[in-house]
């Protein structure tokens, strides 16, 4: 992976592009990776997990921090390890199941 600049900011891209389309986002302020690199299936699972989880804090039910505390508790992991960008596909599936509106009580 080599540092690159894209329309959405800095990222790491495969050095064999275009044969390899691997990419990983970087924080624009620090240049640090946003989570861990993953294959396309895990990236898709992470996007789906964010789509299920983010509305919990975006609509104001909980603060972002409180929502991550809730998620960490539900997953049985430390808050410091609760980062969707580091999750595998199975963990993402669990996030999606936990965030289904009909069965979720997002009390902090």
């Amino acid at each position: 992976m080599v540092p690159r600049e894209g329309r959405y900011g800095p990222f790491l891209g495969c050095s064999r592009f275009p044969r390899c389309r691997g990419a990983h986002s970087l924080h624009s302020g620090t240049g640090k990776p946003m989570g861990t690199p993953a294959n396309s299936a895990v990236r898709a699972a992470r996007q789906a997990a964010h789509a299920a989880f983010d509305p919990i804090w975006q609509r104001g039910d909980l603060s972002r921090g409180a929502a991550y505390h809730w998620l960490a508790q539900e997953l049985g992991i430390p808050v410091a390890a609760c980062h969707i960008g580091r999750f595998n596909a199975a963990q993402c599936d669990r996030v999606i199941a936990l965030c289904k509106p009909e069965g979720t009580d997002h009390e902090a």
Side-chain angles (χ1 to χ4, degrees):
M1 301 290 264
V2 295
R4 299 183 185 272
E5 189 67 35
R7 65 179 159 186
Y8 300 110
F11 70 99
L12 294 175
C14 185
S15 62
R16 295 178 294 140
F17 182 84
R19 282 188 17 224
C20 168
R21 295 202 173 271
H24 190 73
S25 297
L26 300 173
H27 288 280
S28 58
T30 64
K32 292 184 178 182
M34 291 183 173
T36 57
N39 63 29
S40 59
V42 174
R43 284 195 311 270
R46 289 174 179 173
Q47 289 172 347
H50 267 296
F53 173 72
D54 290 351
I56 293 168
W57 60 267
Q58 289 173 339
R59 67 179 170 245
D61 293 350
L62 296 174
S63 69
R64 188 170 187 259
Y68 272 100
H69 273 68
W70 167 80
L71 184 60
Q73 183 177 8
E74 292 295 316
L75 295 172
I77 62 174
V79 174
C82 191
H83 191 296
I84 293 171
R86 296 181 184 142
F87 288 176
N88 61 34
Q91 289 170 306
C92 290
D93 289 344
R94 180 79 175 119
V95 170
I96 294 164
L98 287 167
C99 295
K100 287 185 179 176
E102 65 274 4
T104 305
D105 181 15
H106 305 117
E107 296 297 320

